[in-house]
Amino acid sequence: LEELLSFLESNEPVSPNSGSEGSTRAVYSPDERKKRRMKSNRESARRSRWRKRMHLENITDEVNRLSVENQQLKNRLSAVINQYHIVWRENEQLRSESEALWAKLLDLYWTFATMQSR
């Protein structure tokens, strides 16, 4: 686009026999080509740095989001483990009480059975 604008702004005559090749291509000296290439390289490097910065920001945002999610999951896991321990202790107590009641029941059956056999 810059080449086209540069060519259009120049006061060089256009020959009627020139086709698409000559009409859109400007002829630059080696110095001008070097300057244009350097300018293009600088612009490319600027775009590359911008893309790198955007990528780094995206990754940083993702790391922060995942850190928050990880902490939330750790908190939930801790709550579930605590609840598990509470239920496990209650279960152990109920199991112990059940065994004691079964023992009393068996004792009552034996007592009743021995009283019936007399």
Side-chain angles (χ1 to χ4, degrees):
L1 185 61
E2 287 179 22
E3 288 179 19
L4 182 57
L5 289 174
S6 172
F7 180 75
L8 292 174
E9 289 173 353
S10 73
N11 291 328
E12 296 177 20
V14 178
S15 75
N17 293 336
S18 65
S20 61
E21 258 179 44
S23 63
T24 58
R25 287 197 128 172
V27 177
Y28 295 104
S29 70
D31 229 18
E32 290 171 327
R33 282 195 303 267
K34 183 177 180 182
K35 287 179 186 178
R36 291 174 61 80
R37 189 173 54 251
M38 287 174 61
K39 182 180 177 183
S40 175
N41 287 346
R42 278 193 300 272
E43 184 61 25
S44 177
R46 185 190 65 76
R47 286 190 309 268
S48 178
R49 286 189 302 270
W50 181 83
R51 282 191 307 270
K52 184 177 181 180
R53 187 171 54 249
M54 291 298 106
H55 182 66
L56 182 60
E57 286 178 15
N58 290 338
I59 288 175
T60 301
D61 291 345
E62 182 74 2
V63 165
N64 292 336
R65 186 187 67 74
L66 290 173
S67 294
V68 167
E69 183 180 351
N70 189 37
Q71 188 58 50
Q72 291 170 344
L73 290 171
K74 284 179 179 180
N75 292 343
R76 284 177 54 196
L77 177 62
S78 179
V80 167
I81 289 172
N82 288 336
Q83 189 63 32
Y84 163 79
H85 286 299
I86 290 169
V87 170
W88 184 81
R89 283 191 297 269
E90 288 175 357
N91 195 28
E92 286 297 310
Q93 183 180 355
L94 291 171
R95 195 174 285 128
S96 176
E97 289 175 10
S98 174
E99 289 173 6
L101 289 172
W102 274 107
K104 283 185 181 181
L105 184 61
L106 284 175
D107 190 41
L108 286 173
Y109 278 135
W110 282 110
T111 304
F112 182 71
T114 54
M115 286 176 36
Q116 288 291 341
S117 64
R118 286 188 193 167

Short mmCIF file of all heavy atoms in Angstrom, two decimals, residues 5-49:
data_model
loop_
_atom_site.label_atom_id
_atom_site.label_comp_id
_atom_site.label_asym_id
_atom_site.label_seq_id
_atom_site.Cartn_x
_atom_site.Cartn_y
_atom_site.Cartn_z
N LEU A 5 1.01 4.24 -2.78
CA LEU A 5 0.85 5.65 -2.45
C LEU A 5 2.07 6.46 -2.86
O LEU A 5 1.96 7.56 -3.40
CB LEU A 5 0.58 5.83 -0.96
CG LEU A 5 -0.79 5.38 -0.48
CD1 LEU A 5 -0.88 5.47 1.04
CD2 LEU A 5 -1.89 6.22 -1.12
N SER A 6 3.25 5.88 -2.60
CA SER A 6 4.48 6.56 -2.97
C SER A 6 4.55 6.76 -4.48
O SER A 6 4.93 7.82 -4.97
CB SER A 6 5.67 5.75 -2.49
OG SER A 6 6.86 6.29 -2.99
N PHE A 7 4.16 5.75 -5.21
CA PHE A 7 4.19 5.84 -6.67
C PHE A 7 3.19 6.86 -7.19
O PHE A 7 3.48 7.64 -8.08
CB PHE A 7 3.90 4.45 -7.27
CG PHE A 7 3.91 4.44 -8.77
CD1 PHE A 7 5.11 4.49 -9.47
CD2 PHE A 7 2.73 4.39 -9.49
CE1 PHE A 7 5.13 4.48 -10.84
CE2 PHE A 7 2.74 4.39 -10.87
CZ PHE A 7 3.94 4.43 -11.55
N LEU A 8 1.98 6.86 -6.59
CA LEU A 8 0.96 7.80 -7.03
C LEU A 8 1.32 9.25 -6.71
O LEU A 8 0.96 10.16 -7.44
CB LEU A 8 -0.39 7.45 -6.40
CG LEU A 8 -1.02 6.14 -6.89
CD1 LEU A 8 -2.28 5.83 -6.09
CD2 LEU A 8 -1.33 6.20 -8.37
N GLU A 9 2.03 9.46 -5.61
CA GLU A 9 2.43 10.81 -5.23
C GLU A 9 3.58 11.32 -6.08
O GLU A 9 3.78 12.53 -6.19
CB GLU A 9 2.80 10.84 -3.75
CG GLU A 9 1.61 10.67 -2.84
CD GLU A 9 2.01 10.53 -1.38
OE1 GLU A 9 3.21 10.43 -1.08
OE2 GLU A 9 1.10 10.52 -0.54
N SER A 10 4.33 10.42 -6.67
CA SER A 10 5.46 10.87 -7.50
C SER A 10 4.93 11.46 -8.80
O SER A 10 3.83 11.16 -9.25
CB SER A 10 6.41 9.69 -7.79
OG SER A 10 5.80 8.82 -8.71
N ASN A 11 5.72 12.30 -9.40
CA ASN A 11 5.29 12.97 -10.64
C ASN A 11 5.82 12.26 -11.87
O ASN A 11 5.95 12.86 -12.93
CB ASN A 11 5.80 14.43 -10.64
CG ASN A 11 5.07 15.24 -9.58
OD1 ASN A 11 3.91 14.96 -9.30
ND2 ASN A 11 5.76 16.21 -9.02
N GLU A 12 6.12 10.98 -11.73
CA GLU A 12 6.66 10.23 -12.87
C GLU A 12 5.53 9.92 -13.84
O GLU A 12 4.45 9.51 -13.44
CB GLU A 12 7.30 8.93 -12.39
CG GLU A 12 8.49 9.14 -11.49
CD GLU A 12 9.05 7.81 -10.98
OE1 GLU A 12 8.76 6.77 -11.61
OE2 GLU A 12 9.75 7.83 -9.98
N PRO A 13 5.77 10.08 -15.11
CA PRO A 13 4.74 9.77 -16.10
C PRO A 13 4.56 8.26 -16.23
O PRO A 13 5.50 7.49 -16.04
CB PRO A 13 5.29 10.37 -17.39
CG PRO A 13 6.76 10.42 -17.20
CD PRO A 13 6.99 10.61 -15.71
N VAL A 14 3.37 7.88 -16.55
CA VAL A 14 3.07 6.47 -16.74
C VAL A 14 2.97 6.24 -18.23
O VAL A 14 2.24 6.94 -18.94
CB VAL A 14 1.73 6.10 -16.06
CG1 VAL A 14 1.40 4.65 -16.31
CG2 VAL A 14 1.80 6.42 -14.59
N SER A 15 3.70 5.26 -18.72
CA SER A 15 3.66 5.00 -20.16
C SER A 15 2.38 4.24 -20.50
O SER A 15 1.94 3.41 -19.71
CB SER A 15 4.90 4.21 -20.59
OG SER A 15 4.78 2.88 -20.17
N PRO A 16 1.81 4.49 -21.63
CA PRO A 16 0.56 3.81 -21.99
C PRO A 16 0.74 2.33 -22.21
O PRO A 16 -0.21 1.58 -22.12
CB PRO A 16 0.13 4.51 -23.29
CG PRO A 16 1.32 5.25 -23.78
CD PRO A 16 2.23 5.46 -22.63
N ASN A 17 1.96 1.89 -22.47
CA ASN A 17 2.21 0.47 -22.71
C ASN A 17 2.45 -0.32 -21.43
O ASN A 17 2.58 -1.52 -21.47
CB ASN A 17 3.41 0.28 -23.65
CG ASN A 17 3.11 0.80 -25.03
OD1 ASN A 17 1.94 0.88 -25.42
ND2 ASN A 17 4.16 1.16 -25.76
N SER A 18 2.57 0.38 -20.31
CA SER A 18 2.89 -0.33 -19.08
C SER A 18 1.65 -1.07 -18.60
O SER A 18 0.57 -0.52 -18.52
CB SER A 18 3.41 0.62 -18.01
OG SER A 18 2.40 1.51 -17.65
N GLY A 19 1.83 -2.33 -18.24
CA GLY A 19 0.73 -3.15 -17.74
C GLY A 19 0.68 -3.08 -16.23
O GLY A 19 1.17 -2.14 -15.62
N SER A 20 0.10 -4.07 -15.63
CA SER A 20 -0.03 -4.08 -14.18
C SER A 20 1.32 -4.16 -13.50
O SER A 20 1.49 -3.74 -12.38
CB SER A 20 -0.92 -5.23 -13.73
OG SER A 20 -0.34 -6.45 -14.12
N GLU A 21 2.31 -4.74 -14.20
CA GLU A 21 3.63 -4.88 -13.61
C GLU A 21 4.26 -3.54 -13.29
O GLU A 21 4.65 -3.27 -12.19
CB GLU A 21 4.56 -5.62 -14.58
CG GLU A 21 4.76 -7.06 -14.22
CD GLU A 21 5.67 -7.72 -15.24
OE1 GLU A 21 6.69 -7.13 -15.62
OE2 GLU A 21 5.34 -8.84 -15.63
N GLY A 22 4.34 -2.69 -14.26
CA GLY A 22 5.04 -1.43 -14.09
C GLY A 22 4.24 -0.38 -13.37
O GLY A 22 4.80 0.51 -12.77
N SER A 23 2.95 -0.44 -13.43
CA SER A 23 2.15 0.63 -12.88
C SER A 23 2.08 0.60 -11.35
O SER A 23 1.88 1.62 -10.74
CB SER A 23 0.74 0.60 -13.46
OG SER A 23 0.10 -0.59 -13.09
N THR A 24 2.23 -0.54 -10.73
CA THR A 24 2.11 -0.60 -9.27
C THR A 24 3.45 -0.80 -8.58
O THR A 24 3.51 -0.76 -7.36
CB THR A 24 1.18 -1.76 -8.85
OG1 THR A 24 1.69 -2.97 -9.38
CG2 THR A 24 -0.23 -1.50 -9.34
N ARG A 25 4.48 -1.04 -9.32
CA ARG A 25 5.78 -1.29 -8.71
C ARG A 25 6.66 -0.06 -8.83
O ARG A 25 6.90 0.43 -9.92
CB ARG A 25 6.48 -2.45 -9.38
CG ARG A 25 5.87 -3.77 -9.03
CD ARG A 25 6.83 -4.80 -9.39
NE ARG A 25 7.01 -5.65 -8.24
CZ ARG A 25 7.68 -6.75 -8.27
NH1 ARG A 25 8.27 -7.13 -9.37
NH2 ARG A 25 7.81 -7.49 -7.20
N ALA A 26 7.14 0.42 -7.69
CA ALA A 26 8.07 1.55 -7.71
C ALA A 26 9.48 0.97 -7.66
O ALA A 26 9.72 -0.09 -7.11
CB ALA A 26 7.82 2.44 -6.51
N VAL A 27 10.41 1.70 -8.23
CA VAL A 27 11.80 1.27 -8.22
C VAL A 27 12.50 2.05 -7.12
O VAL A 27 12.46 3.27 -7.10
CB VAL A 27 12.46 1.55 -9.59
CG1 VAL A 27 13.93 1.17 -9.56
CG2 VAL A 27 11.72 0.80 -10.68
N TYR A 28 13.10 1.31 -6.20
CA TYR A 28 13.78 1.93 -5.07
C TYR A 28 15.27 1.67 -5.17
O TYR A 28 15.70 0.61 -5.62
CB TYR A 28 13.26 1.37 -3.75
CG TYR A 28 11.81 1.68 -3.49
CD1 TYR A 28 10.83 0.72 -3.65
CD2 TYR A 28 11.43 2.95 -3.09
CE1 TYR A 28 9.50 1.00 -3.41
CE2 TYR A 28 10.10 3.25 -2.85
CZ TYR A 28 9.14 2.27 -3.02
OH TYR A 28 7.84 2.57 -2.78
N SER A 29 16.02 2.62 -4.66
CA SER A 29 17.47 2.44 -4.59
C SER A 29 17.76 1.44 -3.48
O SER A 29 16.93 1.20 -2.61
CB SER A 29 18.14 3.78 -4.32
OG SER A 29 17.86 4.18 -2.98
N PRO A 30 18.95 0.87 -3.50
CA PRO A 30 19.30 -0.08 -2.42
C PRO A 30 19.18 0.55 -1.03
O PRO A 30 18.74 -0.11 -0.08
CB PRO A 30 20.75 -0.46 -2.73
CG PRO A 30 20.91 -0.22 -4.19
CD PRO A 30 19.99 0.93 -4.52
N ASP A 31 19.51 1.82 -0.92
CA ASP A 31 19.39 2.52 0.36
C ASP A 31 17.93 2.61 0.80
O ASP A 31 17.60 2.37 1.96
CB ASP A 31 19.97 3.93 0.22
CG ASP A 31 20.93 4.26 1.34
OD1 ASP A 31 21.39 3.32 2.01
OD2 ASP A 31 21.18 5.47 1.54
N GLU A 32 17.07 2.96 -0.16
CA GLU A 32 15.64 3.06 0.17
C GLU A 32 15.07 1.69 0.54
O GLU A 32 14.26 1.57 1.45
CB GLU A 32 14.87 3.64 -1.02
CG GLU A 32 15.16 5.10 -1.26
CD GLU A 32 14.55 5.59 -2.57
OE1 GLU A 32 14.47 4.79 -3.54
OE2 GLU A 32 14.15 6.76 -2.61
N ARG A 33 15.48 0.64 -0.18
CA ARG A 33 15.00 -0.71 0.14
C ARG A 33 15.44 -1.12 1.54
O ARG A 33 14.67 -1.71 2.30
CB ARG A 33 15.51 -1.72 -0.89
CG ARG A 33 14.76 -1.69 -2.20
CD ARG A 33 15.03 -2.91 -3.04
NE ARG A 33 16.43 -3.14 -3.35
CZ ARG A 33 17.04 -2.71 -4.44
NH1 ARG A 33 16.38 -2.04 -5.35
NH2 ARG A 33 18.32 -2.96 -4.63
N LYS A 34 16.68 -0.76 1.88
CA LYS A 34 17.20 -1.10 3.21
C LYS A 34 16.39 -0.38 4.28
O LYS A 34 16.00 -0.98 5.30
CB LYS A 34 18.67 -0.72 3.32
CG LYS A 34 19.30 -1.09 4.64
CD LYS A 34 20.78 -0.75 4.67
CE LYS A 34 21.39 -1.13 6.00
NZ LYS A 34 22.80 -0.77 6.07
N LYS A 35 16.10 0.92 4.07
CA LYS A 35 15.30 1.68 5.04
C LYS A 35 13.90 1.10 5.17
O LYS A 35 13.35 0.97 6.26
CB LYS A 35 15.23 3.15 4.62
CG LYS A 35 16.50 3.91 4.83
CD LYS A 35 16.36 5.34 4.36
CE LYS A 35 17.69 6.08 4.43
NZ LYS A 35 17.59 7.45 3.93
N ARG A 36 13.29 0.75 4.03
CA ARG A 36 11.95 0.18 4.06
C ARG A 36 11.94 -1.17 4.78
O ARG A 36 11.04 -1.49 5.54
CB ARG A 36 11.40 0.03 2.64
CG ARG A 36 11.10 1.37 1.99
CD ARG A 36 10.70 1.21 0.54
NE ARG A 36 9.51 0.42 0.38
CZ ARG A 36 8.26 0.88 0.55
NH1 ARG A 36 8.09 2.13 0.88
NH2 ARG A 36 7.24 0.09 0.36
N ARG A 37 12.96 -1.97 4.51
CA ARG A 37 13.07 -3.28 5.16
C ARG A 37 13.26 -3.12 6.67
O ARG A 37 12.64 -3.81 7.47
CB ARG A 37 14.21 -4.08 4.54
CG ARG A 37 14.25 -5.52 5.00
CD ARG A 37 15.27 -6.37 4.26
NE ARG A 37 16.61 -5.79 4.29
CZ ARG A 37 17.22 -5.25 3.24
NH1 ARG A 37 16.62 -5.21 2.06
NH2 ARG A 37 18.43 -4.75 3.35
N MET A 38 14.09 -2.17 7.06
CA MET A 38 14.31 -1.91 8.49
C MET A 38 13.02 -1.45 9.15
O MET A 38 12.67 -1.88 10.25
CB MET A 38 15.42 -0.86 8.68
CG MET A 38 16.81 -1.41 8.39
SD MET A 38 18.09 -0.13 8.44
CE MET A 38 17.98 0.43 10.12
N LYS A 39 12.29 -0.57 8.46
CA LYS A 39 11.01 -0.09 8.99
C LYS A 39 10.03 -1.26 9.13
O LYS A 39 9.35 -1.40 10.15
CB LYS A 39 10.44 0.98 8.08
CG LYS A 39 9.14 1.56 8.57
CD LYS A 39 8.63 2.63 7.62
CE LYS A 39 7.29 3.16 8.10
NZ LYS A 39 6.72 4.13 7.19
N SER A 40 9.98 -2.09 8.12
CA SER A 40 9.09 -3.26 8.15
C SER A 40 9.49 -4.21 9.29
O SER A 40 8.63 -4.75 10.00
CB SER A 40 9.15 -3.99 6.80
OG SER A 40 8.41 -5.17 6.84
N ASN A 41 10.80 -4.41 9.45
CA ASN A 41 11.28 -5.29 10.53
C ASN A 41 10.93 -4.73 11.91
O ASN A 41 10.54 -5.47 12.81
CB ASN A 41 12.78 -5.50 10.42
CG ASN A 41 13.15 -6.41 9.27
OD1 ASN A 41 12.29 -7.08 8.71
ND2 ASN A 41 14.42 -6.41 8.91
N ARG A 42 11.07 -3.40 12.06
CA ARG A 42 10.71 -2.78 13.35
C ARG A 42 9.23 -2.98 13.65
O ARG A 42 8.83 -3.30 14.76
CB ARG A 42 11.06 -1.29 13.34
CG ARG A 42 12.51 -1.00 13.63
CD ARG A 42 12.73 0.48 13.92
NE ARG A 42 12.34 1.33 12.80
CZ ARG A 42 13.13 1.68 11.79
NH1 ARG A 42 14.38 1.26 11.77
NH2 ARG A 42 12.68 2.46 10.83
N GLU A 43 8.40 -2.77 12.62
CA GLU A 43 6.95 -2.94 12.79
C GLU A 43 6.62 -4.39 13.12
O GLU A 43 5.79 -4.67 13.99
CB GLU A 43 6.22 -2.49 11.52
CG GLU A 43 4.73 -2.53 11.63
CD GLU A 43 4.16 -1.62 12.70
OE1 GLU A 43 4.81 -0.61 13.07
OE2 GLU A 43 3.05 -1.93 13.18
N SER A 44 7.27 -5.31 12.46
CA SER A 44 7.06 -6.73 12.73
C SER A 44 7.47 -7.07 14.16
O SER A 44 6.78 -7.81 14.86
CB SER A 44 7.84 -7.56 11.73
OG SER A 44 7.71 -8.93 12.01
N ALA A 45 8.61 -6.54 14.58
CA ALA A 45 9.08 -6.78 15.95
C ALA A 45 8.11 -6.18 16.97
O ALA A 45 7.81 -6.79 18.00
CB ALA A 45 10.48 -6.18 16.15
N ARG A 46 7.57 -4.98 16.66
CA ARG A 46 6.60 -4.35 17.56
C ARG A 46 5.36 -5.23 17.70
O ARG A 46 4.86 -5.47 18.79
CB ARG A 46 6.21 -2.97 17.04
CG ARG A 46 5.29 -2.19 17.97
CD ARG A 46 4.74 -0.92 17.31
NE ARG A 46 3.89 -1.20 16.17
CZ ARG A 46 2.62 -1.64 16.26
NH1 ARG A 46 2.08 -1.85 17.43
NH2 ARG A 46 1.92 -1.86 15.17
N ARG A 47 4.86 -5.74 16.56
CA ARG A 47 3.68 -6.62 16.60
C ARG A 47 3.99 -7.90 17.37
O ARG A 47 3.18 -8.40 18.14
CB ARG A 47 3.22 -6.96 15.17
CG ARG A 47 2.53 -5.81 14.48
CD ARG A 47 1.88 -6.26 13.17
NE ARG A 47 2.76 -6.99 12.28
CZ ARG A 47 3.50 -6.45 11.32
NH1 ARG A 47 3.45 -5.14 11.10
NH2 ARG A 47 4.27 -7.20 10.56
N SER A 48 5.18 -8.41 17.17
CA SER A 48 5.59 -9.64 17.88
C SER A 48 5.64 -9.41 19.39
O SER A 48 5.18 -10.25 20.17
CB SER A 48 6.96 -10.10 17.37
OG SER A 48 7.39 -11.24 18.06
N ARG A 49 6.21 -8.27 19.80
CA ARG A 49 6.25 -7.95 21.24
C ARG A 49 4.83 -7.79 21.81
O ARG A 49 4.54 -8.23 22.91
CB ARG A 49 7.06 -6.67 21.48
CG ARG A 49 8.55 -6.85 21.33
CD ARG A 49 9.31 -5.62 21.79
NE ARG A 49 8.94 -4.41 21.07
CZ ARG A 49 9.51 -3.98 19.95
NH1 ARG A 49 10.48 -4.68 19.40
NH2 ARG A 49 9.11 -2.87 19.37
#
